[in-house]
């Protein structure tokens, strides 16, 4: 069954386990990964990275990924990994990917935020991952999260380090902040 990233992360949080994300650059790998997940009765994330596109275009592999995900007996999230080119991200959305990692990490924060807001029509992202140990960046990750979205913190930040998060916005917009340090 095809699910989005927020849904699969909610399963992981509820069940208290990690869900792997596996590169699937061909149909054989898609079938093997989903087959193993079904055999173990566990959710899985399959992805296509922008760097794989020269091997197999997203317009060719994406529909196969979606077809096998929809037919699976376990939750499967189809994810674009490290899409750094806006046009490439749009291609993934056109194919029907329910999860996109629009990687603007090489840009200054203001430009990163601007691009995410442009891509999401001003709403922010449904799921934002923060992998830094910088409290101000953690706060920015929450800011980039859409209403009802999830901000996932995976970092080397000490759990007692203060993070300047606007808790009013978290509450008012029903944002979830989760993760591990």
């Amino acid at each position: 069954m095809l699910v989005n990233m927020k849904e699969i992360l909610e399963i992981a949080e509820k069940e208290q386990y990690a869900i792997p994300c596996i590169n699937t650059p061909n149909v054989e790998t898609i079938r093997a990964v989903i087959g193993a997940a079904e055999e173990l009765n566990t959710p899985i994330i399959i992805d296509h990275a922008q760097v794989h596109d020269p091997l197999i275009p997203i317009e060719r592999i994406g529909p196969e990924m979606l077809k096998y995900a929809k037919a699976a007996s376990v939750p499967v999230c189809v994810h674009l990994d490290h899409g750094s080119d806006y046009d490439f991200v749009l291609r993934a959305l056109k194919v029907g990917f329910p999860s996109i990692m629009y990687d603007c990490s090489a840009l200054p924060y203001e430009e990163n935020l601007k691009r995410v807001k442009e891509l999401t029509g001003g709403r922010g992202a449904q799921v934002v991952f923060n992998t830094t140990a910088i409290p101000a960046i953690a706060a920015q990750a929450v800011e980039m999260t859409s209403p009802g979205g999830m901000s996932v913190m995976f970092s080397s930040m000490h759990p007692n380090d203060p993070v300047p998060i606007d808790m009013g916005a978290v509450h008012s917009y029903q944002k979830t902040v989760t993760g591990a340090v």
Side-chain angles (χ1 to χ4, degrees):
M1 84 187 70
L2 179 65
V3 297
N4 65 37
M5 185 63 74
K6 184 175 182 218
E7 291 168 321
I8 209 160
L9 291 176
E10 287 171 345
I11 293 167
E13 186 170 39
K14 179 181 176 224
E15 299 297 328
Q16 293 294 296
Y17 57 70
I19 299 174
C21 181
I22 310 291
N23 291 319
T24 52
N26 56 50
V27 172
E28 294 79 12
T29 306
I30 296 168
R31 292 178 60 198
V33 168
I34 292 177
E38 288 177 320
E39 188 175 312
L40 296 169
N41 194 34
T42 187
I44 193 74
I45 303 166
I46 59 174
D47 77 15
H48 181 74
Q50 185 169 340
V51 297
H52 297 146
D53 212 54
L55 301 172
I56 184 162
I58 198 165
E59 290 83 3
R60 224 169 103 211
I61 196 66
E64 294 295 322
M65 295 168 76
L66 292 163
K67 176 179 84 174
Y68 283 99
K70 288 174 185 174
S73 61
V74 297
V76 179
C77 179
V78 176
H79 175 69
L80 170 65
D81 195 26
H82 291 278
S84 57
D85 177 66
Y86 185 79
D87 290 333
F88 186 78
V89 168
L90 292 180
R91 288 171 53 204
L93 289 169
K94 186 175 180 182
V95 167
F97 276 52
S99 176
I100 304 290
M101 178 192 187
Y102 186 26
D103 187 354
C104 300
S105 60
L107 302 172
Y109 171 72
E110 293 76 22
E111 182 65 19
N112 189 332
L113 179 61
K114 178 182 169 201
R115 289 189 183 199
V116 169
K117 295 277 185 174
E118 283 174 3
L119 182 67
T120 62
R123 293 181 311 276
Q126 186 180 35
V127 177
V128 176
F129 288 93
N130 172 41
T131 58
T132 72
I134 304 166
I137 302 285
Q140 292 169 353
V142 174
E143 180 183 343
M144 292 175 82
T145 306
S146 67
M150 180 182 291
S151 186
V152 183
M153 306 291 170
F154 290 103
S155 70
S156 58
M157 189 172 3
H158 189 276
N160 294 329
D161 285 348
V163 176
I165 295 175
D166 178 355
M167 294 309 291
V170 170
H171 175 74
S172 297
Y173 297 112
Q174 299 178 348
K175 297 180 181 186
T176 301
V177 179
T178 188
V181 290

